[in-house]
Amino acid sequence: MGETPGSPTVSMKLQKIAEQAQRYPEMVFNNVFHLIDRDFLQEAYRRTRKDSAPGVDQVTAKQYAEHLEENLRDLHERLQDNRYVAPPVARVWIEKEDGKKRPISKPCFEDKIVQRAVVMILEAIFEPDFHAFSHGFRKGHSPHQALNELREQCSKLHIQWIVDADVSGFFDTIDRSYLREMLKQRVNDGGILRLIGKWLNAGVLEAGELTYPDQGTPQGGVASPLLANVFLHHVLDEWFVTAVQPRMKGRCFLSRFADDFIIGFESKADAQRVMAVLPKRFGRFHLTMHPEKTALIAFNKPLRREHSAWGKGTFDFLGFTHYWAKTRRGYWVIKRKTVGKRLRRFMQGIWTWCRTNRHAPLTEQYQTLCAKLRGYYHYHGIRGNIKALAAIFEHTRRAWRYWLSRRSHKGRLNWHTYEASVRHKLPLPKPRIIHNI
């Protein structure tokens, strides 16, 4: 059974819930679990990514689809009879920019379908509550939208100071009791809350050992981004709008993408007040601000920058370093460039890949390198960042040529052969600006 177009019935149900949530901000939904019927699960399956790695049961999306109708019918029956058991998630570790590692969870494919179904309902309910400056993992929002908003707000509000905040291990330290209370303010449906509880308590399988953390939500799960947004909506967003902004003497703004956020201030005194109270606010919900990565930064035009110990005049947000610079006409503007650590990390990855795969067929290498470059351009290709893109392009071309020349004697390419058969016949995609923001 293959994928079908989006279900109009499911869309109508979700639209009705969203309209009610928006019309009645105080309304608590306590009867929505019944919406998860066979048709709803089919739509959840359609919206679930099929290219992810399998979970602990090793069942791939392709294998699940071979008996899709039967599998979804059985899944629906287990959900209705409260017999559904959330399997543990497999945990892997990926390297971060600072050299440390971040845990990523891999749920089973069937569990992803159930999580997607619940997320579809929760999104319809909570989306009207979320603020426009919350951009992480929401429809109609993107990192580039957040970057554009950040630049416009800094210029329009004459921002002089930036609180660059970092929450230590946010996804791993979310207090589940607080999360449950926050959810119940809008959704007090036993079926939905039981499923969320099952996911949070399903356990983590790592290196053959099963553990049961008593806090946090698995990073990598389908439901985790939405649960994180609900949590930070109460901890940060609502607090900023209702308690912080009205008490400030100057103008200020907040821009958040998941647990990564920036607060900008026109007044130094306002910035200092919030900087002092921010750890206390997060501490109330058992979260900790990273003492080294959370900083107050003087962010104004260099000619007007105060000589102080507050900061270096630049900050990083969503993979870009933000700084003041002059245009060709002599005007001061805020520009962005790829964070140095990210740039070096990508270059190192390209070099390692070319070395490891130098014996693979030439066309396969070419296709993969093109995909890597296009992916990099698609995210980092913003106006003012062309130098970083050019550096990536040149590094990739040099790395590929170098490791092709180090293949076995029979398959080795010298300079003239490379120029004739590779560079001209298999040209790598050149840098280009994708986002004119």
Side-chain angles (χ1 to χ4, degrees), residues 311-364:
K312 56 185 181 298
T314 68
F315 64 92
D316 297 339
F317 185 58
L318 297 180
F320 293 92
T321 297
H322 302 251
Y323 64 100
W324 280 96
K326 277 189 175 183
T327 64
R328 293 179 180 178
R329 296 184 178 182
Y331 298 108
W332 284 105
V333 296
I334 298 171
K335 292 189 175 183
R336 287 75 56 92
K337 60 182 179 181
T338 304
V339 172
K341 289 182 180 179
R342 282 201 175 192
L343 193 67
R344 292 188 292 271
R345 184 182 176 188
F346 187 85
M347 286 181 172
Q348 184 180 5
I350 287 288
W351 185 268
T352 302
W353 189 92
C354 288
R355 180 186 64 196
T356 305
N357 296 275
R358 64 186 183 273
H359 297 296
L362 203 58
T363 53
E364 289 184 13

Side-chain angles (χ1 to χ4, degrees), residues 97-161:
E97 295 169 14
D98 56 6
K100 298 180 181 179
K101 292 188 176 181
R102 170 182 297 166
I104 296 294
S105 301
K106 297 190 298 181
C108 295
F109 182 74
E110 185 176 70
D111 202 45
K112 292 180 183 178
I113 297 174
V114 183
Q115 289 193 38
R116 177 57 61 194
V118 171
V119 165
M120 287 158 58
I121 294 175
L122 294 183
E123 278 181 342
I125 295 171
F126 282 100
E127 269 296 320
D129 296 346
F130 291 157
H131 293 282
F133 55 73
S134 170
H135 298 285
F137 310 108
R138 295 176 60 194
K139 294 178 183 177
H141 293 260
S142 70
H144 298 95
Q145 186 178 346
L147 290 167
N148 186 49
E149 176 189 83
L150 174 64
R151 187 172 184 263
E152 289 183 349
Q153 293 282 66
C154 283
S155 299
K156 184 173 67 174
L157 305 182
H158 300 289
I159 296 302
Q160 305 288 312
W161 296 86

Side-chain angles (χ1 to χ4, degrees), residues 403-432:
W403 286 110
L404 287 179
S405 71
R406 295 300 188 274
R407 300 205 297 186
S408 62
H409 181 73
K410 185 178 180 180
R412 183 176 298 173
L413 294 180
N414 58 33
W415 171 259
H416 296 291
T417 307
Y418 171 83
E419 286 290 312
S421 64
V422 178
R423 185 173 180 181
H424 294 293
K425 294 183 180 179
L426 300 175
L428 294 172
K430 292 185 178 181
R432 67 191 188 98

Side-chain angles (χ1 to χ4, degrees), residues 193-228:
L193 295 178
R194 274 195 303 272
L195 279 176
I196 294 174
K198 288 179 179 181
W199 294 324
L200 296 178
N201 295 288
V204 176
L205 184 65
E206 182 180 357
E209 183 179 353
L210 184 61
T211 59
Y212 295 91
D214 59 0
Q215 61 182 5
T217 174
Q219 194 169 355
V222 175
S224 292
L226 178 61
L227 297 179

Side-chain angles (χ1 to χ4, degrees), residues 67 82 140 172 181 194 204 210 233 238 251 293 332 389:
H67 305 283
N82 196 25
D172 296 328
E181 291 305 312
R194 274 195 303 272
V204 176
L210 184 61
H233 172 75
E238 277 290 284
R251 292 173 290 184
K293 295 183 179 179
W332 284 105
L389 304 187

Side-chain angles (χ1 to χ4, degrees), residues 2-12 14 39-40 42-47 120:
E3 290 187 39
T4 59
S7 168
T9 305
V10 172
S11 298
M12 289 175 61
L14 294 175
D39 191 30
F40 207 93
Q42 174 71 50
E43 178 64 14
Y45 166 81
R46 191 187 70 83
R47 298 189 188 188
M120 287 158 58

Side-chain angles (χ1 to χ4, degrees), residues 1 5 30 50 52 60 62 116 150 157 165 175 198 254 261 278 295 304 319 328 359 378 390 398 418 423 429:
M1 183 176 178
N30 52 25
K50 313 298 191 297
S52 303
T60 64
K62 184 177 180 181
R116 177 57 61 194
L150 174 64
L157 305 182
D175 187 294
K198 288 179 179 181
L254 168 65
F261 64 94
L278 201 58
R304 295 167 51 197
R328 293 179 180 178
H359 297 296
H378 184 74
R398 286 196 304 268
Y418 171 83
R423 185 173 180 181

Side-chain angles (χ1 to χ4, degrees), residues 157-161 249-252 264-268 270:
L157 305 182
H158 300 289
I159 296 302
Q160 305 288 312
W161 296 86
K249 295 181 179 178
R251 292 173 290 184
C252 61
F265 298 90
E266 184 179 19
S267 163
K268 178 180 178 180
D270 288 343

